[in-house]
C-alpha cells in the first residue's frame, strides 16, 4: 500500500486544539477507510492536502450557528474536517449507503464528535424531515442535480456550498435553469487555502432568497 502523506505544518493552523482528532481521522481513513472501500489506496500519498485540508478550509464559510447538511458524505468529506475546524456549528452527514454509514458512526463515536449526527438517506427524501442553513457537497453529482436535490432542504437565506474542481464555470452555466427555478442567488465562486494548498479549494456558493 502507498505511504500516507506526512502531515503538513498547515494542518495544526487549520485544526488548532483539535489537531489530535484530525490525526486520528487521518488514521481511520488510511486503515479501515481503505479496507472498507471508502477511500482508494492511491489517495494516501495526498490524504492531507487533497482530502482533509482541502475540505477543512471551507470552514471559513461556516458560521458557529450553522446547521450544515453534508450531502453524500461518503468517508465524511467534507463534513468531518469541517466539524473539527469549525466545532461550534452542527453537522448532519447524509449518506444512503449502509456500509458507509456504519463506518461513519464508528469514526464519529471514536472522535467524540458531539456536534455531528449521521442520517442514512438520499437527500431528496429528507424534504419533510430536515432543514439546513447550509448544505455542503463534494464529488456528488453535477451542480444542476445538486441544486434540484438540495434547494428543498435549505431554510430561508440558506446556502449550497459545492466543492468543485476546474470545471466550475461550465457547471454553473449548465445549472442556470435549475438555479433560477429554485430561486437561488447568482453563483459566487470562492477560492480557499490560497498560498497554503497546492491546489486551492473552489467552492460555489448559492444562496436561497
Ligand atoms: C463519490 S462519493 C463522494 C464522497 C465524499 N463526499 C468525498 O468527497 O469523498 C459520492 C457519495 O454520494 C452518495 N450519494 C449518492 N446519491 C446520493 C443521494 N441521492 N443523496 C445523498 N448522498 C448520495 C454516495 O453514496 C457516495 O457516498
Amino acid at each position: 500500500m502507498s505511504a500516507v502523506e506526512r502531515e503538513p505544518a498547515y494542518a495544526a493552523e487549520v485544526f488548532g486544539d483539535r489537531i489530535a482528532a484530525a490525526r486520528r481521522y487521518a488514521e481511520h481513513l488510511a486503515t479501515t477507510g481503505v479496507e472498507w472501500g471508502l477511500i482508494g489506496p492511491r489517495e494516501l500519498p495526498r490524504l492531507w492536502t487533497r482530502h482533509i485540508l482541502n475540505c477543512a478550509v471551507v470552514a471559513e464559510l461556516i458560521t458557529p450557528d450553522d446547521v450544515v447538511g453534508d450531502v453524500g458524505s461518503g468517508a465524511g468529506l467534507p463534513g468531518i474536517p469541517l466539524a473539527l475546524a469549525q466545532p461550534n456549528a452542527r453537522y448532519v452527514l447524509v449518506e444512503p449507503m449502509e456500509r458507509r454509514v456504519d463506518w461513519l458512526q464508528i469514526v464519529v463515536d471514536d472522535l467524540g464528535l458531539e456536534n455531528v449526527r449521521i442520517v442514512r438517506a438520499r437527500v431528496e427524501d429528507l424534504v419533510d424531515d430536515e432543514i439546513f442553513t447550509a448544505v455542503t457537497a463534494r464529488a456528488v453529482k453535477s451542480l444542476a442535480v445538486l441544486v434540484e436535490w438540495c434547494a428543498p432542504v435549505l431554510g430561508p437565506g440558506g446556502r449550497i456550498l459545492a466543492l468543485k474542481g476546474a470545471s466550475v464555470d461550465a457547471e454553473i452555466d449548465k445549472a442556470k435553469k435549475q438555479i433560477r427555478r429554485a430561486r437561488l442567488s447568482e453563483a459566487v465562486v470562492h477560492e480557499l487555502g490560497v498560498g497554503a494548498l497546492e491546489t486551492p479549494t473552489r467552492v460555489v456558493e448559492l444562496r436561497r432568497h
Side-chain angles (χ1 to χ4, degrees):
M1 197 179 290
S2 322
V4 179
E5 180 182 19
R6 249 178 82 187
E7 179 192 314
Y10 183 49
E13 205 181 301
V14 171
F15 290 111
D17 61 4
R18 295 215 152 190
I19 186 65
R23 287 177 186 145
R24 185 102 181 119
Y25 176 54
E27 259 178 60
H28 278 294
L29 286 171
T31 55
T32 53
V34 173
E35 286 156 30
W36 289 40
L38 279 101
I39 189 159
R42 278 187 298 190
E43 298 307 313
L44 299 186
R46 48 195 189 178
L47 188 66
W48 282 95
T49 41
R50 237 332 166 75
H51 297 282
I52 300 172
L53 289 170
N54 170 285
C55 289
V57 292
V58 180
E60 225 180 278
L61 304 178
I62 307 291
T63 63
D65 47 6
D66 265 325
V67 179
V68 180
D70 182 32
V71 167
S73 194
L77 295 163
I80 293 179
L82 287 178
L84 292 167
Q86 172 48 284
N88 295 320
R90 283 180 289 146
Y91 299 84
V92 180
L93 310 184
V94 180
E95 171 56 52
M97 285 181 63
E98 185 177 16
R99 194 175 166 74
R100 292 177 184 201
V101 166
D102 290 347
W103 185 87
L104 283 171
Q105 195 63 64
I106 292 168
V107 172
V108 164
D109 290 347
D110 182 60
L111 300 182
L113 291 174
E114 288 172 6
N115 55 336
V116 177
R117 187 157 62 81
I118 300 159
V119 170
R120 184 179 171 205
R122 294 182 307 185
V123 66
E124 58 281 33
D125 297 334
L126 287 180
V127 182
D128 296 323
D129 302 324
E130 304 277 350
I131 203 85
F132 304 118
T133 63
V135 161
T136 54
R138 188 184 86 144
V140 187
K141 305 286 179 185
S142 66
L143 190 62
V145 173
L146 277 179
V147 166
E148 280 196 352
W149 282 358
C150 301
V153 291
L154 281 182
R159 61 259 188 243
I160 294 175
L161 301 170
L163 285 69
K164 292 287 174 187
S167 63
V168 63
D169 292 331
E171 287 225 30
I172 293 169
D173 208 45
K174 282 190 189 151
K176 269 188 180 149
K177 195 171 70 187
Q178 287 80 0
I179 292 171
R180 203 175 46 244
R181 212 187 281 151
R183 293 167 172 252
L184 300 179
S185 63
E186 288 262 309
V188 177
V189 179
H190 301 271
E191 283 224 316
L192 306 168
V194 177
L197 295 178
E198 200 181 302
T199 311
T201 306
R202 283 209 180 125
V203 180
V204 183
E205 177 172 8
L206 295 161
R207 192 177 282 271
R208 191 172 155 189
H209 292 302

